[in-house]
Amino acid sequence: MRFISRTKVENILSLTLNGINVSFCLLVIAGCIYKSIQSGFSEIVICIYGGIIAALLVVNEVKASEISLTYAYFLATYRGRSMVFIFFGCLVLDTAVLNIVAGTLNLALGLVYMVMSFIIPSFPPPNPISINWQNWKDFSAEGLDLARPKHVSVESHVAIRLKSPPPPQPPQHHNNIPDDDATSSSTTVGPFRNPY
């Protein structure tokens, strides 16, 4: 049986979420175009706005820029992304089948991101595809997910650390001991004096 590290599983899930984000943003663009064809002027303006934001999010999902990290930092958190996808779901939702599908899927993804932000706080933050793909190549190139030998048991890092000997302590030098205490240096421990 092949053992896959938690880091590689998280990286696979991050790449999967990147693909879902891009496809849902493209679905929002298609829904905005379809909704603006059969709507009035105000809804056309809102759909143009939503389509431009969705297109910028596709670009940001491929490679994040300094501008987005500075002015749109909420995109680097799951709660922020959940609000964006809930907004897209409400924006696109309409009576046409494409808009119902696009709106419902975006609302569902927004709710999933909101739940993820509360339930899985240790999950890595959302990164663009370029960073996640580079992490994937690094893990694959270094062979970090080799098969575990059968005679090795699975122990936590705390148990391994408790079984290992303590790390060596560096020698302590007492450069600031006054001359009158030089004879009683055996009774001092660190910077404090032993009263006994």
PDB file of all heavy atoms in Angstrom, residues 67-83:
ATOM      1  N   ILE A  67      -0.996  43.631  -6.751  1.00  0.00           N
ATOM      2  CA  ILE A  67      -2.159  44.514  -6.601  1.00  0.00           C
ATOM      3  C   ILE A  67      -3.290  43.770  -5.891  1.00  0.00           C
ATOM      4  O   ILE A  67      -3.924  44.304  -4.983  1.00  0.00           O
ATOM      5  CB  ILE A  67      -2.616  45.031  -7.979  1.00  0.00           C
ATOM      6  CG1 ILE A  67      -1.539  45.917  -8.583  1.00  0.00           C
ATOM      7  CG2 ILE A  67      -3.923  45.787  -7.868  1.00  0.00           C
ATOM      8  CD1 ILE A  67      -1.798  46.328 -10.008  1.00  0.00           C
ATOM      9  N   SER A  68      -3.523  42.517  -6.298  1.00  0.00           N
ATOM     10  CA  SER A  68      -4.612  41.775  -5.660  1.00  0.00           C
ATOM     11  C   SER A  68      -4.278  41.423  -4.218  1.00  0.00           C
ATOM     12  O   SER A  68      -5.156  41.393  -3.366  1.00  0.00           O
ATOM     13  CB  SER A  68      -4.928  40.504  -6.454  1.00  0.00           C
ATOM     14  OG  SER A  68      -3.848  39.593  -6.382  1.00  0.00           O
ATOM     15  N   LEU A  69      -3.003  41.156  -3.930  1.00  0.00           N
ATOM     16  CA  LEU A  69      -2.628  40.845  -2.553  1.00  0.00           C
ATOM     17  C   LEU A  69      -2.689  42.082  -1.662  1.00  0.00           C
ATOM     18  O   LEU A  69      -2.900  41.981  -0.462  1.00  0.00           O
ATOM     19  CB  LEU A  69      -1.227  40.235  -2.509  1.00  0.00           C
ATOM     20  CG  LEU A  69      -1.103  38.849  -3.139  1.00  0.00           C
ATOM     21  CD1 LEU A  69       0.356  38.393  -3.141  1.00  0.00           C
ATOM     22  CD2 LEU A  69      -1.967  37.844  -2.409  1.00  0.00           C
ATOM     23  N   THR A  70      -2.501  43.267  -2.258  1.00  0.00           N
ATOM     24  CA  THR A  70      -2.537  44.498  -1.470  1.00  0.00           C
ATOM     25  C   THR A  70      -3.962  45.011  -1.293  1.00  0.00           C
ATOM     26  O   THR A  70      -4.384  45.300  -0.171  1.00  0.00           O
ATOM     27  CB  THR A  70      -1.682  45.587  -2.155  1.00  0.00           C
ATOM     28  OG1 THR A  70      -0.363  45.084  -2.336  1.00  0.00           O
ATOM     29  CG2 THR A  70      -1.643  46.845  -1.314  1.00  0.00           C
ATOM     30  N   TYR A  71      -4.714  45.107  -2.383  1.00  0.00           N
ATOM     31  CA  TYR A  71      -6.021  45.751  -2.337  1.00  0.00           C
ATOM     32  C   TYR A  71      -7.185  44.769  -2.229  1.00  0.00           C
ATOM     33  O   TYR A  71      -8.302  45.190  -1.937  1.00  0.00           O
ATOM     34  CB  TYR A  71      -6.214  46.644  -3.565  1.00  0.00           C
ATOM     35  CG  TYR A  71      -5.224  47.777  -3.601  1.00  0.00           C
ATOM     36  CD1 TYR A  71      -4.176  47.777  -4.510  1.00  0.00           C
ATOM     37  CD2 TYR A  71      -5.312  48.831  -2.700  1.00  0.00           C
ATOM     38  CE1 TYR A  71      -3.253  48.808  -4.544  1.00  0.00           C
ATOM     39  CE2 TYR A  71      -4.396  49.860  -2.722  1.00  0.00           C
ATOM     40  CZ  TYR A  71      -3.370  49.851  -3.642  1.00  0.00           C
ATOM     41  OH  TYR A  71      -2.463  50.858  -3.658  1.00  0.00           O
ATOM     42  N   ALA A  72      -6.960  43.505  -2.540  1.00  0.00           N
ATOM     43  CA  ALA A  72      -8.029  42.501  -2.447  1.00  0.00           C
ATOM     44  C   ALA A  72      -7.526  41.311  -1.640  1.00  0.00           C
ATOM     45  O   ALA A  72      -7.582  40.169  -2.085  1.00  0.00           O
ATOM     46  CB  ALA A  72      -8.487  42.074  -3.835  1.00  0.00           C
ATOM     47  N   TYR A  73      -7.038  41.587  -0.444  1.00  0.00           N
ATOM     48  CA  TYR A  73      -6.473  40.527   0.388  1.00  0.00           C
ATOM     49  C   TYR A  73      -7.521  39.492   0.792  1.00  0.00           C
ATOM     50  O   TYR A  73      -7.190  38.361   1.108  1.00  0.00           O
ATOM     51  CB  TYR A  73      -5.807  41.122   1.631  1.00  0.00           C
ATOM     52  CG  TYR A  73      -5.132  40.085   2.485  1.00  0.00           C
ATOM     53  CD1 TYR A  73      -3.954  39.487   2.056  1.00  0.00           C
ATOM     54  CD2 TYR A  73      -5.686  39.679   3.688  1.00  0.00           C
ATOM     55  CE1 TYR A  73      -3.340  38.521   2.820  1.00  0.00           C
ATOM     56  CE2 TYR A  73      -5.075  38.707   4.451  1.00  0.00           C
ATOM     57  CZ  TYR A  73      -3.899  38.138   4.021  1.00  0.00           C
ATOM     58  OH  TYR A  73      -3.292  37.174   4.763  1.00  0.00           O
ATOM     59  N   PHE A  74      -8.782  39.872   0.753  1.00  0.00           N
ATOM     60  CA  PHE A  74      -9.837  38.925   1.116  1.00  0.00           C
ATOM     61  C   PHE A  74      -9.847  37.717   0.187  1.00  0.00           C
ATOM     62  O   PHE A  74     -10.373  36.669   0.540  1.00  0.00           O
ATOM     63  CB  PHE A  74     -11.203  39.616   1.105  1.00  0.00           C
ATOM     64  CG  PHE A  74     -11.599  40.179  -0.230  1.00  0.00           C
ATOM     65  CD1 PHE A  74     -12.338  39.413  -1.119  1.00  0.00           C
ATOM     66  CD2 PHE A  74     -11.243  41.461  -0.592  1.00  0.00           C
ATOM     67  CE1 PHE A  74     -12.715  39.924  -2.352  1.00  0.00           C
ATOM     68  CE2 PHE A  74     -11.616  41.981  -1.811  1.00  0.00           C
ATOM     69  CZ  PHE A  74     -12.344  41.206  -2.701  1.00  0.00           C
ATOM     70  N   LEU A  75      -9.258  37.834  -1.015  1.00  0.00           N
ATOM     71  CA  LEU A  75      -9.183  36.690  -1.924  1.00  0.00           C
ATOM     72  C   LEU A  75      -8.191  35.640  -1.453  1.00  0.00           C
ATOM     73  O   LEU A  75      -8.185  34.517  -1.949  1.00  0.00           O
ATOM     74  CB  LEU A  75      -8.808  37.151  -3.337  1.00  0.00           C
ATOM     75  CG  LEU A  75      -9.839  38.007  -4.046  1.00  0.00           C
ATOM     76  CD1 LEU A  75      -9.289  38.513  -5.363  1.00  0.00           C
ATOM     77  CD2 LEU A  75     -11.122  37.234  -4.249  1.00  0.00           C
ATOM     78  N   ALA A  76      -7.335  35.994  -0.496  1.00  0.00           N
ATOM     79  CA  ALA A  76      -6.355  35.043   0.033  1.00  0.00           C
ATOM     80  C   ALA A  76      -6.894  34.281   1.237  1.00  0.00           C
ATOM     81  O   ALA A  76      -6.150  33.556   1.887  1.00  0.00           O
ATOM     82  CB  ALA A  76      -5.064  35.775   0.409  1.00  0.00           C
ATOM     83  N   THR A  77      -8.180  34.450   1.553  1.00  0.00           N
ATOM     84  CA  THR A  77      -8.798  33.705   2.645  1.00  0.00           C
ATOM     85  C   THR A  77     -10.034  32.991   2.112  1.00  0.00           C
ATOM     86  O   THR A  77     -10.639  33.416   1.122  1.00  0.00           O
ATOM     87  CB  THR A  77      -9.220  34.649   3.791  1.00  0.00           C
ATOM     88  OG1 THR A  77     -10.227  35.543   3.306  1.00  0.00           O
ATOM     89  CG2 THR A  77      -8.042  35.440   4.332  1.00  0.00           C
ATOM     90  N   TYR A  78     -10.396  31.912   2.780  1.00  0.00           N
ATOM     91  CA  TYR A  78     -11.568  31.161   2.334  1.00  0.00           C
ATOM     92  C   TYR A  78     -12.865  31.905   2.628  1.00  0.00           C
ATOM     93  O   TYR A  78     -13.824  31.789   1.872  1.00  0.00           O
ATOM     94  CB  TYR A  78     -11.584  29.772   2.977  1.00  0.00           C
ATOM     95  CG  TYR A  78     -10.542  28.869   2.374  1.00  0.00           C
ATOM     96  CD1 TYR A  78      -9.425  28.494   3.087  1.00  0.00           C
ATOM     97  CD2 TYR A  78     -10.676  28.414   1.075  1.00  0.00           C
ATOM     98  CE1 TYR A  78      -8.462  27.679   2.527  1.00  0.00           C
ATOM     99  CE2 TYR A  78      -9.725  27.606   0.501  1.00  0.00           C
ATOM    100  CZ  TYR A  78      -8.618  27.236   1.231  1.00  0.00           C
ATOM    101  OH  TYR A  78      -7.661  26.446   0.658  1.00  0.00           O
ATOM    102  N   ARG A  79     -12.906  32.686   3.693  1.00  0.00           N
ATOM    103  CA  ARG A  79     -14.120  33.461   3.972  1.00  0.00           C
ATOM    104  C   ARG A  79     -14.333  34.533   2.913  1.00  0.00           C
ATOM    105  O   ARG A  79     -15.458  34.786   2.481  1.00  0.00           O
ATOM    106  CB  ARG A  79     -14.025  34.106   5.347  1.00  0.00           C
ATOM    107  CG  ARG A  79     -14.237  33.119   6.445  1.00  0.00           C
ATOM    108  CD  ARG A  79     -14.270  33.761   7.796  1.00  0.00           C
ATOM    109  NE  ARG A  79     -14.031  32.714   8.784  1.00  0.00           N
ATOM    110  CZ  ARG A  79     -13.453  32.897   9.928  1.00  0.00           C
ATOM    111  NH1 ARG A  79     -13.038  34.093  10.276  1.00  0.00           N
ATOM    112  NH2 ARG A  79     -13.274  31.906  10.757  1.00  0.00           N
ATOM    113  N   GLY A  80     -13.243  35.181   2.506  1.00  0.00           N
ATOM    114  CA  GLY A  80     -13.354  36.190   1.457  1.00  0.00           C
ATOM    115  C   GLY A  80     -13.809  35.598   0.142  1.00  0.00           C
ATOM    116  O   GLY A  80     -14.674  36.146  -0.546  1.00  0.00           O
ATOM    117  N   ARG A  81     -13.240  34.457  -0.204  1.00  0.00           N
ATOM    118  CA  ARG A  81     -13.661  33.803  -1.444  1.00  0.00           C
ATOM    119  C   ARG A  81     -15.109  33.327  -1.357  1.00  0.00           C
ATOM    120  O   ARG A  81     -15.831  33.341  -2.347  1.00  0.00           O
ATOM    121  CB  ARG A  81     -12.748  32.637  -1.758  1.00  0.00           C
ATOM    122  CG  ARG A  81     -11.399  33.095  -2.221  1.00  0.00           C
ATOM    123  CD  ARG A  81     -10.662  32.042  -2.931  1.00  0.00           C
ATOM    124  NE  ARG A  81      -9.406  32.606  -3.393  1.00  0.00           N
ATOM    125  CZ  ARG A  81      -8.709  32.114  -4.376  1.00  0.00           C
ATOM    126  NH1 ARG A  81      -9.125  31.049  -4.995  1.00  0.00           N
ATOM    127  NH2 ARG A  81      -7.579  32.674  -4.742  1.00  0.00           N
ATOM    128  N   SER A  82     -15.516  32.904  -0.167  1.00  0.00           N
ATOM    129  CA  SER A  82     -16.906  32.464  -0.030  1.00  0.00           C
ATOM    130  C   SER A  82     -17.857  33.623  -0.301  1.00  0.00           C
ATOM    131  O   SER A  82     -18.874  33.448  -0.979  1.00  0.00           O
ATOM    132  CB  SER A  82     -17.149  31.878   1.358  1.00  0.00           C
ATOM    133  OG  SER A  82     -17.168  32.889   2.338  1.00  0.00           O
ATOM    134  N   MET A  83     -17.510  34.808   0.180  1.00  0.00           N
ATOM    135  CA  MET A  83     -18.371  35.965  -0.074  1.00  0.00           C
ATOM    136  C   MET A  83     -18.408  36.325  -1.560  1.00  0.00           C
ATOM    137  O   MET A  83     -19.457  36.706  -2.087  1.00  0.00           O
ATOM    138  CB  MET A  83     -17.873  37.180   0.724  1.00  0.00           C
ATOM    139  CG  MET A  83     -18.048  37.024   2.199  1.00  0.00           C
ATOM    140  SD  MET A  83     -19.788  36.891   2.581  1.00  0.00           S
ATOM    141  CE  MET A  83     -19.720  36.302   4.228  1.00  0.00           C
TER     142      MET A  83
END
